[in-house]
Structures are given as structure tokens and as C-alpha cells.
Amino acid sequence: MRLVRTDGTVQVTIRNGIEGNGLIATKLQVPPVKAKMLPREHLVRRLSEGKDHRLIVVTGLAGSGKTSLVSQWVGLDKLPTVWYSLDTSDNESDLFFRYLLTALADVNPGLAGPIRSLLALPGPLAGKELVPFLIEQFVHLPRDFYIVLDDYHLIRSKEVHDAVSYLLERVPSKVHVVIVSRYAVPFSLGHFRVRNQIVEISASDMRFTEEETTRFLREIMALDLSNDEVHRLADHTEGWAGGLQLFGLSLKKKGNFRDLGDILAMARQETADYLVDEVVEAQPGKIKSFLRITALLGRFNTDLCREVTGLPDAAEILDHLYRNNLFLIPLDEEQVWYRYHHLFSEALRKGVQLSSPEVYRDIQRKAALWFAANGYLEDAFRHAFSSGDLEFAADLLEDYLLYIPDCTGYSSGLRWIAKVPYEILNRRALLRLHDCGQKVESFRLAEIEEILRDIEERRPEVFDRYEGRKKTLCLDLFTYFRTVIPYYYRDPENADVERLNEACKVISSENRQFAGYIGICIAMGQLIRGNPVMAGEALREASTAIFSSESLWARMLWFRYSAMVEGTQGHLHRSEALLKEALEMLDRRGLSESPLKSSLYLPMAWIAYYRNDLHGAQEYVVSAMAFGEQATFVRDVVDGWLLLLLIRLARGEPEEAARSVQKAREVVRGLDASDTVASLDAWIIRISMVKGDLKAAMRWADQRKLSMDEPFSNRFLHECLANVEVLHRQGFHEKAAGMLQELRGLCSDRNLMVAVFDIDLFYAGVLHALNDHEGAVAVMERAVAFADSEGFVKPMWDYGPLIAPIVLEMAGSRPEKQTSLFFQVLMESCGITREDASPLNRPATRAGDLTSREIEILKLMAAGYKNQEIAEKAFVSLPTIKTHNRHIFDKLDVKTRTQAIKRARELKLLGGQ
């Protein structure tokens, strides 16, 4: 009989008859004849290196290429082999040994005589009684000999297993047994492992790598596939050779196919038929039922299997499936969670859907309830919707959506609510209010207000469908959103705090986290209005409600905004400690990899920025923005872009900084966020001045007509700083100084110490421009003292050139200042070295003192380099070079580069030039 296997090998089965008691007593299969098959060098090498071991075991999925692999090894190493291919009839001990003995007699002439005499004796052959006879014959073998027992998984006879195990323990060292099986060998192999007498190739070893998949499809199957198509097939078959063979044959049948997806869809049925016929139907009834039920699950563990199958011995069955390579794949090292090979589960799932839709629906609902009860909400909702019972899915969403932020991150709620049909969603106020919760951070306030109006108009109808806890939750959510939305982002500066506090009292005790959320909203409004002290008070009042609830999300928000409040007041150490406490809380609960951490990344990024850790700040801010985009938290995305703006300015990248602001503008375009847009406009004006566009800044200032009598807010602060910079660059230093002085008083009164720190740096530069050098140094001393107290090492991006003369004077007259880490960063930002600060190393000229850095820039200027090229060579930003140029021109009393170079040559400042 000629048989072509799914792994591409060809086998020839030869049956020889020897008469003994009237039986055809021989079944000999010689090793497969040579056919084109994929060389698996690394596995063949392992077999060759272990060929002296007593036992070689190769196990793997049906159609995974086990026989092909052993055939390659036997052929390449030219091993003398008896190849016995088993089938179900070989479970009878007498037949098993008659076939084995006949195979040995046919292949080895030295054994033929004694074996034929034994086969001629009357009566059945008993396994263990034969072992001494076989051992006696094997002792006289002239060289090593290999017995291959192929398809050993078909043997279920305990008598045969016991006899083979007994033989293995006693065969002489010249005899080696190779067992090829889909399943684990059903007798103990421990003593072989301990004595290092076994080589094992497992199911995971048999999987094709992507490189092997490519070679198999192109070299063996002769298919002309692109890299992407090969990758899709590799992903689809997960290294299963049989699946690749079946899909490859389907592709060859179709010839010049156009769409790989269509071909794969058509080939799936052939694969499903193969898996059901070859694997599933061969199992006992209990295993077969277990496979059909658990294949409906995306992933599963022992408890879930026990729940959906009703079988108390689910753990033992899973262990059996794993040991016997029944397409079961562990998902963790501890082997707690499993899934089936995708093609295997897909084949069984479709069969159950078609033949038993009620069973399919019931299992999906059971799985959904189990996953939800155990906190795996993504799995729960996936199974709920897979059941096709959308009312059941909506019920489950209503029961558990409140816990989504704690379990799966904030973003998944919107996705699952979107799957509920409108006619179901419209009847369920609780789901619609959960939807509001998902939308509130995305500035979709008009949509939320429309939902609230509709619920209010149909109040009896929509609320009366609920009872008990659900009704209370529905009413509290409605109170929360109706109270908060008017102030949440639209008009936070004028929030009616009393009304918000009254709403806190109305909310029931079992939903206290909503009272806590209102407290957080009050704090946010106070932060936006520039009142961090009042924001901190609101958070302290909210803490009782938040920490008495079970909501981890509420706690993380509390830590986040508390850290922001402390950071705004310049308390970096306190801010850092709060964030550390939040992370430790997650660690204690085993949530160190939870999406909840993402809510903390933005304040962590700010701390890294203030420490001058630009790389760390960027890593945190990018993660925070990814979280914000996924969860549609617009404010996180906008704030992230603004921090990236500062990071890029600190690196001397004004063009990239400008793009950051434009990206932020794109995020809020069309949303109800006028104060945020106005703040972004102020940043755009400051960037335009860094790039040298003063006209656009002057137009903005004329249109804005800023007055210091306006209500204070963060927006007002940003606009004031932009306006001051316009005045300073126009030369109106006195006006700029007056505005900065007044602005500093407003920020100091509110304890906005980070803003005060910024203002002091700016103010010192303006005072120096007014020739108030003593006042400039005093203000700078104050800024340095503040920075040192809290560990600020903040990048100076635009202030460096402005304050460079002050820093140089302080560095020269107060050498002890150079021990301050912040002052060192100041010097670096201004392009000042320690040598520059030493009067001994500063060359004197008739035009004044030029620093070594200024002389270096003069030399580059004289060499013909442009400003941008000089900036790159000096490793500073373009604005810093322009500031150095101004200082050089002032000291040399010239107005152009040509005049500066000429004057420098006259003074012999350029060395040999």
C-alpha cells in the first residue's frame, strides 16, 4: 500500500506471510522511502547526538512531521533499523509480538532462525515471557540496532505497554528503541531520565519556526508567496506542519489565486475535517465531550473548565490533554491558563455552533458569568457578546462596567458599549450613563448633556426598570453627571463649588466614590483657576469617600491630582512620594502591570523634566499620551504635547517644539475647550518668538489686549508670560518688569511656586537688561535657593541666553555657587564653562571681557560657518548662538558679523588667523 502523509513523506507498507497456526503473522513496515521533505537539521542533530541512548521518544501533534523527522535521521545516519508501523489491531499482545518478531527476523538474518522457530510454536505469545528470549538474541548482535515503534499512540493495551516497558529496562546497550507517538508514553520514563538514557523531542520542538515555514512553503510546496503571505500562514498554522500541508495543497489547487484570505477560508473546512476525523473522533467519549465544550473558550483554566463542563476531574483531563499533545497550548510558565491551537478550536467551535446552537449559547453565557465573577471583564464581555444573547450581554455590562477602569483600563468601556444595538441601549439608562462616564474625559460634553436631557424627560420609564442596588447606582450616576458637566471643562473657572458640595451629600453611601469624583472635579477646577491650596483642600475632603470605596481607579486619580497639586506648589519631594505610594499600592495588590499605572505617568513625566531627566520625561510622557489616546482622555494628550514642547525646546529643537503645539491644537479642534485653546495660542506665540517671528507675536498681543485686572487662571498665567516676552523683545523692559513683578505677587499669593520660579528667572533677565545688575543677581539668588531646596534641575530652554551675563557674574564672584547642581545646569544652558567663570582664564580686550565660548564662536564665525552650523558644532541651540552673537557684538562695539571678525583680528583674538 502506498500512503502519502500530510507531512510530505511517503511510506510503503509490505506484508509478508509466515504460516504459524494458520495466521498471517507478519506486518513489516520498512522506513519511508526518500521523498522531498523539509530538512530539520537542528532536530536531526539532537537525535544523532543522542543515538547511543537506550530510548528515543518523539511526540507531537497529528501531522506534525514526527515520522518524517525520524526517517531523515535514520537515513542520514544509515542506522540498521526495524520500522514497525502500528495500528489499532496491534493492541492484542500476541499479534503485537508476532509482527515485531517477524520484522526482526526479516531485517536481521542472524535472528531469523530462532525467531521463526518460536513463531511456529502453538499458542499465543505472552509479552514478558518473550523478553528473556529477545535479550538472549540481542546479546549476539554484531552492532547497534534500532527498533522504531511508529504511531505508538494507537496502542492502548496495558499488557503491551507493560511488556514494552519491561523490555526497555532490560535490553542490552546495543539495542535502541525509538517511540514515535502523538501522545505521551503511558509508562514511567523517570528512571531513564535520571540515568541519562533517553532523548526526547516534544510537541513544542516539532513546531516549525517562521524560517522553516518559509522554506517549507517555497521549497517543498513550490508556492510563490510574498513575505507577508508567508507570515500570515505561519501565524495561522502556529508551526503545525499538517496545517501548512493542507493549506499549501489548497493553494496549489487554486493555481493563480488572488486573495490569500479567500483560499484560507476554503481550506479551513478540509483542515477541520482532518482534525475532527484524525484527532477528536479517536478520543474516548468523555474526552471528546470535554474538547467540544472547552474549545468554545478563548482561554481557560481548571476552574473554568470545571464550571462549563460540570466535570469534577477537569484538572486530570487537562493534564491528560497536555501530556498527549491534543493541541493544548499553555499560556504561562506555571501552566495555569491554556488555549487550543487556533485551527483546532476553530474546527470544534464551528461544529458545535452548527450542530448544537443551544449548547454553544449556554457555554458562552456560563463562561461570561465565570470570567466576570473572577474579575476578567474583557473575557467576560467577549463571551457575553459571542453568545448572541445581546440582552444578556447588556445586563452583564450594566453589572460590571463600573469596575472596568480597575480591571482593564478606561478605554474598553466605550468599545463594549458601542456593540450594544441602539434599540437596547436606548432603554437602559444605566448603560447610557456609563457611556457618559467613558466620554467625559474626551470633551464630548454636548453628547453627554443630550443624554442627560433625554433621561430626564423619560425619567419614570428609564429608572423604573431597575430595582435595588442598580436603581441606586443609576440615580447616583445621574446626579453626578448632571452636577458636574456644566463645570467639568466648559467653565471650570466659574464652577459653583457650593452646588458641587451639595451634590456630594445627595449621593448614597454605597456609591461614595462618585462623591469623591466630585471632590476631584472641584480640585481640577481650582487647579485650572490657579488655586493649588484650595485644590489640595478639596482633595483632602474627597479622600474619605474615595478610600472608603473599593474603586482603585478613584484612588489612582486622587494620587494623580494630589501629586499635581504638590508639584504645582514646588513640592517635588511630596509629589514624588505620593506617586511612589500609589505604585506601591498597586504592587501590593499584584497589579504592577495594570493599566492603572498609566494614570500616574503624566505627573511622573513632569518630575523627570524638573530633574532635567529629559529622556525619562519623554518616556513617561509618550506612555501617558498613548494611554490618553486609547482612553480618549483629551487633557492628557494635550498636556503631553505641551510637555514634549518643553522637552524639545530644552534640546534646542524649536521646529519640533512648534509641531508639538500644532498637534495639541489638532486634538482639541472642534471640542468644547476654549480655555485650553487659548493657552495653546499663548504657547504658539512664545514658540514663534523663539524662531524669530516677532511680528506674529505683536499682532497677537494687540488683539488680546491683556489686562492685569482679569480673573487669574492658568490660561491667564500663560498669556501673561507670552505678553511679557513680547514686551521684552520689543525693548519695553520696564513694562515687562512691572508685569512680571505683579504676576509674581499673584502667583506667590496662590503658592504657585513653580510659576514663581519661572517668573524669577525671566525677571532676573529683564532687570539685567535694565542695567539693574544687583537686583538681577538678587532675584537669581532667590531662584537658585528655591531650586536647591526641592531638587529642581529644570532645563532653561529659553532663559539661558537671557540670564547668561548674570550667571557668569555669579559664577565668577561666588565660586561656591558652582557646587549647586541647579547652578551647574544654569551654566551649561548659558554655554558657560568653569574656565569661563575664572577671571584668570578670561582674555581681556579693549572692548571688554569675552568668554572662551564667545571666542570659540568668533573663530567659527570667521571660518565662514552659519549660525545653525555653529550651533551644531558648539552643541547648543540656535537661540543660544544668537544671544552669544549679541553679547559679542556689544563687547566689540560692532553691528555685523563682518565687523566682528575684522575687530577680532585687530585684537588678535583668533589665534593664528
Side-chain angles (χ1 to χ4, degrees), residues 374-376 403 405-407 546-556 559 580-597:
N374 286 276
Y376 303 108
Y403 307 105
D406 289 358
C407 297
I546 286 173
F547 284 89
S548 63
S549 76
E550 294 298 317
S551 174
L552 275 175
W553 174 249
R555 296 182 189 192
M556 291 304 110
F559 279 114
K580 184 178 179 181
E581 185 180 347
L583 293 172
E584 287 174 352
M585 178 182 289
L586 293 176
D587 287 342
R588 286 195 302 272
R589 292 174 177 247
L591 298 171
S592 56
E593 301 302 320
S594 167
L596 289 167
K597 288 180 69 173

Side-chain angles (χ1 to χ4, degrees), residues 660-726:
S660 296
V661 183
Q662 291 299 339
K663 286 285 189 183
R665 284 295 300 270
E666 290 172 13
V667 172
V668 298
R669 185 177 294 135
L671 297 175
D672 196 357
S674 56
D675 67 310
T676 303
V677 173
S679 293
L680 290 175
D681 287 340
W683 279 110
I684 289 174
I685 292 308
R686 297 188 75 180
I687 294 295
S688 70
M689 286 185 282
V690 171
K691 294 168 63 180
D693 186 1
L694 184 58
K695 290 182 179 179
M698 290 169 61
R699 284 195 300 272
W700 170 84
D702 289 341
Q703 292 171 1
R704 177 64 180 85
K705 292 183 172 55
L706 191 68
S707 167
M708 295 302 291
D709 295 328
E710 295 179 22
F712 190 89
S713 67
N714 281 343
R715 163 188 171 175
F716 175 75
L717 173 61
H718 293 318
E719 290 179 325
C720 283
L721 289 172
N723 199 68
V724 166
E725 193 156 352
V726 174

Side-chain angles (χ1 to χ4, degrees), residues 766-774:
V766 172
L767 288 177
H768 189 272
L770 289 167
N771 292 317
D772 183 359
H773 293 190
E774 186 176 340

Side-chain angles (χ1 to χ4, degrees), residues 622-637:
V622 168
S623 296
M625 290 168 67
F627 162 73
E629 288 169 355
Q630 185 182 36
T632 63
F633 278 20
V634 171
R635 187 169 291 279
D636 278 35
V637 179

